[in-house]
Amino acid sequence: VIFLESLASFGNDHATRSPGPPIDWSAGDKLIPRPRGPMRITLVLTATRDDRFVQADASMARYAQGDDSAFLDLYDALAPALFGFLLRFVRQKALAEDLMQQTFLQIHAARGRFVSGSPVRPWAFAIARRLFIDHTRRAGRELVSGDEERVVTESLEHQTPGDWHDAREAATRAEATLGALPEAQREAYLLVKLEGLSLADAALVLGSTTTAVKLRVHRAVVALRTALNADPGSTPGGTT
Amino acid sequence: VTTPSPELRARVAELVRQHGSPTQAQVHRRSLAVISLGAAWWIAGALLLGADLESRPSGWLLMMLGVWTTTGVLGTYVALSSGGSSLGRPRPLLMGLSWAIVSLLLAVSILAGVLWPETQSAPAGPWLSHAGCFVFTFVLAAGPLAGLLLSQARSDPVRPTATGALLGAVAGAWGGVGMSLHCARTEMVHLVIGHVLPVAGVAIVGAVLGAAVLALSAPKKARNA
């Protein structure tokens, strides 16, 4: 749902094809949700996500200082975002879990290197990304499409049939387009638009410049917007 | 939205419980110890080589030592401080600083020759005459480089090569300080080949070693778990 929110925040093109009035953009770039459907849920989840960020930073600060009991709090605060990030790259739940396990073990091993007062999420994402890169270098790219998890559709199971169909269609096309993007653009988009990292933090994670990350995100957004405006029958990558 | 299995949470917690890890205080103490050892190497080397402060113009000596030492001190501070992020400083900044250190030392070596033309009267000598300073700059820089690299070991998941290059440039600058104290030669060519070129060399060594020492990769135990 957060994924759909990030897409919707760049234009109401796909929303206008959904039943009900289009999104009102009169409040600048702030999203005004229609009264029913997934957008209202999105705002609730976003608030919850922000709380998790604060909790993650506080837990990591305690854990780095030697409070071992803070580890599970840290895990609970970071795991959903890290898992989603990894799953979008490896597309296999078992492999994503394996990489996430390694990421947390790495965070554990390097906790003494954590800088108190700094946000833990960019650091955690950088470690996860490094482990993913190491994995792909060792094993080669062996993404098996048959094992792909339908991440977005799983999250929409509790919507009404009409909403579910519209949202699933848009999400599936967007997901396929995202998967077909160059890796640099996909990484930048996921970190900035889905995980909420600042451009500066995303640049640190990616080892790039703020300008380059901004450009990659923009290109990803253009590609996603184009895909959402396109004929539903011409889904990139042929995913249904 | 999508959550990992509850079994994973229990498994990770168990693995973390089994494998200890140093806290911030322990890491700080360890870093201080290895940096101190690196500094001790440099001091011992500089003492063994000895200092010659008489045979060069005092203004020339003051400028050279001042710039080299300031570069070493500031470079060490920047290289070891995090910039407020656990990910350290951006790659362009690290690479830019590495180049800036080498360029600054090159510029000041040339500038000293221009400002004190009387220091350029002696012949530059054959290439081999620069080899001693070239090698000993490396030797003096080895301690600081090892200390700086080990103090930051397994800390950089993004750009260990760039971080290693900066640490190498800083260590090279310290090596150059020691040689500036010892070496009485003032010819521009000698300074560039014998004193500045090794700084660039140590930066390259730092970049190569940094990729191995600084990179944050999965420990074998955990990888096999």
Side-chain angles (χ1 to χ4, degrees):
Chain A
V1 175
I2 293 167
F3 179 56
L4 281 179
E5 174 207 21
S6 69
L7 291 178
S9 66
F10 295 107
N12 60 0
D13 299 331
H14 83 279
T16 54
R17 287 203 298 272
S18 303
I23 294 171
D24 175 11
W25 293 98
S26 57
D29 59 354
K30 189 171 174 61
L31 180 67
I32 309 295
R34 57 199 167 108
R36 63 178 179 80
M39 294 307 171
R40 184 163 45 186
I41 297 169
T42 296
L43 295 183
V44 175
L45 285 182
T46 303
T48 306
R49 192 174 60 167
D50 288 343
D51 291 344
R52 276 208 304 267
F53 297 169
V54 176
Q55 189 196 338
D57 292 343
S59 300
M60 186 65 219
R62 282 167 48 214
Y63 190 55
Q65 287 165 4
D67 180 0
D68 291 342
S69 66
F71 180 77
L72 285 179
D73 293 339
L74 177 69
Y75 180 96
D76 292 338
L78 282 180
L82 274 180
F83 186 67
F85 179 72
L86 288 167
L87 194 55
R88 286 187 189 282
F89 282 100
V90 299
R91 293 174 178 264
Q92 297 172 41
K93 189 170 182 178
L95 183 53
E97 287 195 344
D98 183 45
L99 287 174
M100 195 175 82
Q101 173 179 313
Q102 288 186 37
T103 302
F104 273 105
L105 291 178
Q106 206 51 257
I107 288 172
H108 165 66
R111 65 171 164 167
R113 302 274 178 201
F114 180 74
V115 176
S116 293
S118 67
V120 66
R121 287 187 319 129
W123 189 56
F125 281 122
I127 293 172
R129 177 176 176 267
R130 168 53 50 196
L131 293 172
F132 166 69
I133 291 170
D134 289 348
H135 167 80
T136 52
R137 281 178 183 164
R138 279 199 305 270
R141 293 188 177 279
E142 48 186 27
L143 305 181
V144 184
S145 59
D147 293 339
E148 286 184 3
E149 299 287 336
R150 304 315 311 158
V151 182
V152 175
T153 52
E154 279 178 3
S155 70
L156 298 170
E157 283 172 356
H158 302 294
Q159 304 303 313
T160 62
D163 283 344
W164 189 89
H165 181 267
D166 292 342
R168 176 179 173 161
E169 183 184 290
T172 302
R173 268 187 289 152
E175 187 77 13
T177 306
L178 192 63
L181 287 175
E183 195 163 299
Q185 290 179 25
R186 188 160 35 126
E187 284 178 329
Y189 181 86
L190 290 175
L191 289 173
V192 174
K193 294 303 177 187
L194 265 65
E195 303 304 340
L197 262 61
S198 67
L199 288 170
D201 281 343
L204 278 175
V205 172
L206 299 172
S208 186
T209 62
T210 306
T211 308
V213 171
K214 195 174 182 180
L215 189 63
R216 290 176 197 172
V217 172
H218 173 72
R219 286 176 177 164
V221 168
V222 170
L224 289 167
R225 187 187 291 167
T226 305
L228 288 172
N229 284 333
D231 176 14
S234 62
T235 305
T239 310
T240 56
Chain B
V1 176
T2 304
T3 53
S5 63
E7 294 79 21
L8 178 64
R9 185 178 188 269
R11 193 164 67 237
V12 170
E14 178 60 20
L15 285 168
V16 163
R17 195 184 60 75
Q18 287 174 4
H19 299 97
S21 66
T23 62
Q24 282 174 327
Q26 291 167 327
V27 166
H28 288 159
R29 279 197 295 273
R30 196 176 296 174
S31 299
L32 197 60
V34 292
I35 289 173
S36 299
L37 284 174
W41 170 281
W42 180 85
I43 291 168
L47 287 175
L48 282 174
L49 286 172
D52 180 352
L53 306 177
E54 305 296 327
S55 55
R56 290 169 284 183
S58 54
W60 185 97
L61 190 63
L62 200 63
M63 188 178 94
M64 291 297 285
L65 279 178
V67 172
W68 281 77
T69 307
T70 305
T71 304
V73 171
L74 290 180
T76 304
Y77 171 76
V78 172
L80 294 181
S81 60
S82 63
S85 167
S86 297
L87 288 172
R89 298 180 189 277
R91 186 200 307 265
L93 181 65
L94 293 170
M95 295 307 291
L97 283 172
S98 305
W99 280 109
I101 287 174
V102 177
S103 303
L104 175 68
L105 298 178
L106 180 66
V108 79
S109 299
I110 294 170
L111 185 66
V114 173
L115 293 177
W116 284 272
E118 68 272 19
T119 59
Q120 304 303 307
S121 55
W127 286 93
L128 208 58
S129 69
H130 311 300
C133 285
F134 186 91
V135 170
F136 276 108
T137 303
F138 265 97
V139 172
L140 280 177
L145 178 62
L148 290 170
L149 284 175
L150 291 176
S151 75
Q152 305 293 306
R154 301 193 64 242
S155 65
D156 195 331
V158 181
R159 47 193 157 16
T161 305
T163 306
L166 178 60
L167 294 178
V170 170
W174 281 116
V177 172
M179 287 313 297
S180 296
L181 284 167
H182 166 72
C183 177
R185 294 179 66 176
T186 54
E187 315 93 76
M188 211 182 288
V189 174
H190 175 76
L191 291 178
V192 171
I193 297 173
H195 296 199
V196 178
L197 200 58
V199 177
V202 179
I204 292 169
V205 171
V208 173
L209 292 179
V213 177
L214 303 177
L216 204 160
S217 56
K220 286 178 183 173
K221 276 184 186 174
R223 204 182 290 162
N224 297 332

